Amino acid sequence: MIELPASFLAMPRWWSEGHEWLTGLPAAVEAQCDFWGLRADGDVLHGSNAIVLPVLRDGVRLALRMSPPGAEVEDQARALRWWAGRGVVELVDAQPDHGALLLERLGEPLTEQPLDEVLGVLGQLIRRLAVAPDPESRSTADIARVRGVQLGPEYERLGRPFDPAYLRAAERIADELSTAVTDLAVNGDFHADQVLRGGREPWLMVDPVLYRGEIEYDLARVLWTNVDAMPTGGAILEHFGTVVETAGLDRDRARAWVVYRTVDYWLWGLSAGLTEDPVRCARLLGTFL
């Protein structure tokens, strides 16, 4: 029976929920391995809400991902089926009601590479995933429309924590973004921590979230997860340009999404008690506004 890493057990999401699932997880992994005919082939890896166990089946190297059962697992399986291995990890089998996904085995994370390569790869993957959209998936335009009207009240509730010019810009831009100018498949959880070395393709995404609309949507996350390695505003703009050019994005639309989503994330981060992320958001907005 597997041993769960202490770093996984210490994740903030388990502070108030999930204790019963964690207690039963080692036995659930063993049962899933028996069901799919798997044999453990390495140490347990993890993210914030899932573990990944390297496994073998008939000599084939695979990965068993286990997370709390629910709609999120079903949505992830649907996203993987939609992209069908194009720029994403290949889904071998799934039992969402058990929180189990059986995936192809991937290698080291993209984050181990130099920043210039990281951003170039991310730009290529943004374009690689830009296939015809799933008509049933959530629209980036709807996200901007719904969230845009919530920014002002949240800003007031949090005590007006930053320059009101940032809020006004985000509200204006959210209104613009509420009408999509493109309709493509979008990964709504796009950043370098979700990219691993592949065999079929050089780099592959894991844990995608399937939206539809404008592929410029998640460029803000690409920047704020790497901004600590960008010492100046000029460096931020240079790296922004790298992703825009590599992915073939509309530069003005990309800038608009960066501004709107950075304000959104700043407010969310303050609500969640984050300390470092609001500082990153301030740097991005100071560069783009």
Side-chain angles (χ1 to χ4, degrees):
M1 191 171 292
I2 65 162
E3 182 175 346
L4 298 177
S7 53
F8 181 66
L9 297 173
M11 285 289 164
R13 71 159 297 161
W14 311 125
W15 293 351
S16 60
E17 63 180 3
H19 302 292
E20 183 177 350
W21 179 77
L22 283 175
T23 300
L25 182 54
V29 170
E30 186 173 7
Q32 202 65 47
C33 285
D34 288 343
F35 181 78
W36 275 331
L38 310 174
R39 177 167 59 85
D41 185 43
D43 296 330
V44 175
L45 307 173
H46 71 86
S48 60
N49 73 325
I51 64 165
V52 176
L53 178 67
V55 294
L56 290 172
R57 184 168 70 179
D58 298 329
V60 178
R61 300 167 72 249
L62 300 170
L64 173 62
R65 183 187 189 276
M66 299 287 291
S67 59
E72 185 176 329
V73 184
E74 179 58 50
D75 288 345
Q76 187 174 103
R78 183 170 64 89
L80 292 174
R81 292 189 185 104
W82 187 262
W83 276 297
R86 179 189 172 100
V88 301
V89 64
E90 188 172 58
L91 178 65
V92 178
D93 209 338
Q95 281 199 310
D97 55 336
H98 292 183
L101 300 177
L102 187 60
L103 308 166
E104 70 174 308
R105 181 104 59 97
L106 301 180
E108 75 273 11
L110 177 61
T111 50
E112 294 181 1
Q113 306 304 311
L115 181 58
D116 286 346
E117 181 177 352
V118 168
L119 296 176
V121 169
L122 292 177
Q124 292 168 7
L125 283 172
I126 288 174
R127 178 54 59 182
R128 180 88 175 119
L129 299 181
V131 298
D134 173 7
E136 300 300 320
S137 59
R138 192 178 182 191
S139 166
T140 60
D142 288 342
I143 293 172
R145 182 181 305 110
V146 171
R147 180 61 177 156
V149 298
Q150 298 171 347
L151 297 179
E154 190 163 339
Y155 177 80
E156 295 294 332
R157 180 178 63 81
L158 291 168
R160 303 182 179 183
F162 48 75
D163 188 335
Y166 292 164
L167 174 68
R168 290 193 295 270
E171 290 177 323
R172 173 181 54 79
I173 289 170
D175 186 60
E176 296 173 1
L177 298 176
S178 295
T179 301
V181 298
T182 58
D183 193 21
L184 297 166
V186 177
N187 180 5
D189 188 15
F190 193 91
H191 54 94
D193 288 330
Q194 306 280 49
V195 181
L196 301 175
R197 178 80 71 181
R200 297 178 295 105
E201 299 183 21
W203 298 99
L204 293 166
M205 292 289 308
V206 299
D207 299 350
V209 174
L210 180 59
Y211 292 157
R212 60 183 302 214
E214 300 186 9
I215 60 175
E216 292 85 358
Y217 169 82
D218 224 13
L219 181 52
R221 195 195 310 261
V222 170
L223 292 177
W224 74 55
T225 52
N226 290 284
V227 74
D228 291 345
M230 304 176 193
T232 66
I236 292 172
L237 290 174
E238 179 182 351
H239 291 304
F240 167 80
T242 294
V243 181
V244 167
E245 182 177 351
T246 307
L249 305 180
D250 180 290
R251 191 179 186 91
D252 290 338
R253 208 66 172 177
R255 177 190 171 278
W257 276 109
V258 168
V259 171
Y260 155 68
R261 295 213 60 221
T262 300
V263 169
D264 181 6
Y265 184 58
W266 194 340
L267 293 172
W268 179 87
L270 292 172
S271 298
L274 303 183
T275 56
E276 295 179 352
D277 294 85
V279 175
R280 297 180 178 116
C281 292
R283 287 195 61 212
L284 287 181
L285 291 173
T287 299
F288 286 94
L289 288 176

